[in-house]
Amino acid sequence: MPNIRIIDSITDPGSPSRPNEDAAGGNASCAFVIDGATGLGGKSIVGLNGSDAAWLAQFAKSSFEQTVRNGRPMADIVQEFNACAANVVQEAANALPIEPWNLPIAGFQMVRIEDGAVVTHGLGDCRLFLLGADGVEFDTSAIKGGFADERDGARLAIAHTGGFSAHQALADDPVVRDELRKHRAAYNQSDSGVWTLGTEPAAAKHLATEPLRTALPAMGLLCSDGFAALCDQYGRYGVGEFVKAARDAGLSALLEELRRIERVEDPDGHKFPRFKMSDDATAVLFEIVA
């Protein structure tokens, strides 16, 4: 019977002026990361330090730690969670209409033991990096290649704004914000292909689930896209190298490297296009043993 053991975890806000909208956690049968999507300038509905995304991430963390156990299907858990979150949001809105782009959403990636097997579940663009005992590498996300699409969008936004000299978050520019709102409003609809934690119970039907047939003991990293950028956007590590660096150097050292790239090497975003100078960054280092 495989077991998951969390070795280390770290989370860091992208800016001291913004709340951390990531979360991470686990229990005896799972480990996970959650990445709340920063609001696009609308009024906070539920709010945690003024951020609906931070509220949703913490709500999901608490819910997952309590409900992901005893073999309960993950799709049922997500459906129930989103239905509950929808009720909270609607009550907090006091029957006032909510723009679709202003609904709180979050992505997540989880590794879980189910019926003696190891499985990963996810929605959104969080990441899993895995290294088996035989050296075989594996990585995945619920949105395959999502980091490339985001990079292309950020490149256009930086060309428009000139970089981070005016806005540390490009979504503060009205033209960029309107475009992002248009994309966000299409989420959790059949024609978008993007499904999330949030207020749409039907997202559970689109849960990305994959079995992990890896040689044990295996070592893995669960990351929000802000931390995974070291591999996906900045190209400092391959999949196996990333996991080994987390194990050998530690997550704190990797976080320092990440922030050095963003704030010293490329503070204007021209070398590595992105929508924020620094995004929230969260990672969980874990091992799977027999």
Side-chain angles (χ1 to χ4, degrees):
M1 177 75 171
N3 288 288
I4 295 175
R5 185 172 74 91
I6 295 176
I7 299 170
D8 193 11
S9 66
I10 197 167
T11 188
D12 184 65
S15 167
S17 65
R18 299 194 311 266
N20 189 344
E21 295 168 334
D22 285 358
N27 59 30
S29 63
C30 74
F32 57 83
V33 293
I34 300 165
D35 184 355
T38 299
L40 296 175
K43 183 179 179 181
S44 175
I45 304 167
V46 180
L48 177 63
N49 297 323
S51 167
D52 291 331
W55 163 77
L56 185 65
Q58 291 300 320
F59 187 27
K61 167 184 163 66
S62 176
S63 177
F64 284 173
E65 288 181 335
Q66 294 176 36
T67 60
V68 181
R69 57 182 75 243
N70 301 326
R72 190 176 178 205
M74 195 63 204
D76 291 354
I77 293 170
V78 170
Q79 182 179 30
E80 181 180 281
F81 173 80
N82 278 12
C84 183
N87 287 336
V88 173
V89 169
Q90 291 300 325
E91 288 182 9
N94 198 25
L96 295 175
I98 306 169
E99 294 285 355
W101 52 260
N102 202 31
L103 289 166
I105 60 171
F108 83 98
Q109 194 72 39
M110 175 184 292
V111 172
R112 184 184 184 191
I113 306 299
E114 296 181 0
D115 299 324
V118 188
V119 178
T120 185
H121 301 284
L123 290 169
D125 59 3
C126 292
R127 297 280 273 129
L128 167 64
F129 302 90
L130 194 64
L131 182 63
D134 54 3
V136 174
E137 303 171 354
F138 173 82
D139 71 290
T140 194
S141 174
I143 302 178
K144 303 292 192 284
F147 57 87
D149 292 338
E150 178 158 340
R151 182 172 59 238
D152 292 343
R155 184 177 287 111
L156 293 174
I158 284 175
H160 167 73
T161 62
F164 298 117
S165 57
H167 307 290
Q168 283 201 355
L170 300 186
D172 292 338
D173 176 85
V175 173
V176 175
R177 183 171 60 242
D178 286 347
E179 188 65 23
L180 291 173
R181 284 177 173 179
K182 190 184 306 179
H183 286 286
R184 182 80 61 86
Y187 288 3
N188 294 302
Q189 299 181 34
S190 57
D191 56 350
S192 77
V194 178
W195 299 86
T196 70
L197 295 176
T199 59
E200 179 48 73
K205 299 177 182 177
H206 302 272
L207 188 66
T209 297
E210 298 175 73
L212 299 178
R213 300 183 179 91
T214 186
L216 303 182
M219 187 77 60
L221 262 179
L222 288 160
C223 306
S224 64
D225 66 333
F227 198 96
L230 271 171
C231 177
D232 291 337
Q233 303 285 19
Y234 309 151
R236 295 300 167 95
Y237 300 94
V239 172
E241 294 172 331
F242 199 25
V243 177
K244 289 177 182 177
R247 178 193 65 194
D248 297 340
L251 296 179
S252 293
L254 289 179
L255 179 64
E256 289 179 9
E257 182 178 10
L258 176 79
R259 297 311 191 206
R260 184 169 61 251
I261 293 169
E262 295 168 342
R263 297 169 183 174
V264 178
E265 296 181 25
D266 187 39
D268 58 9
H270 289 291
K271 183 177 181 180
F272 301 115
R274 53 199 189 272
F275 282 101
K276 300 173 185 173
M277 177 182 288
S278 294
D279 197 2
D280 301 337
T282 299
V284 176
L285 178 67
F286 65 92
E287 65 175 355
I288 309 170
V289 297

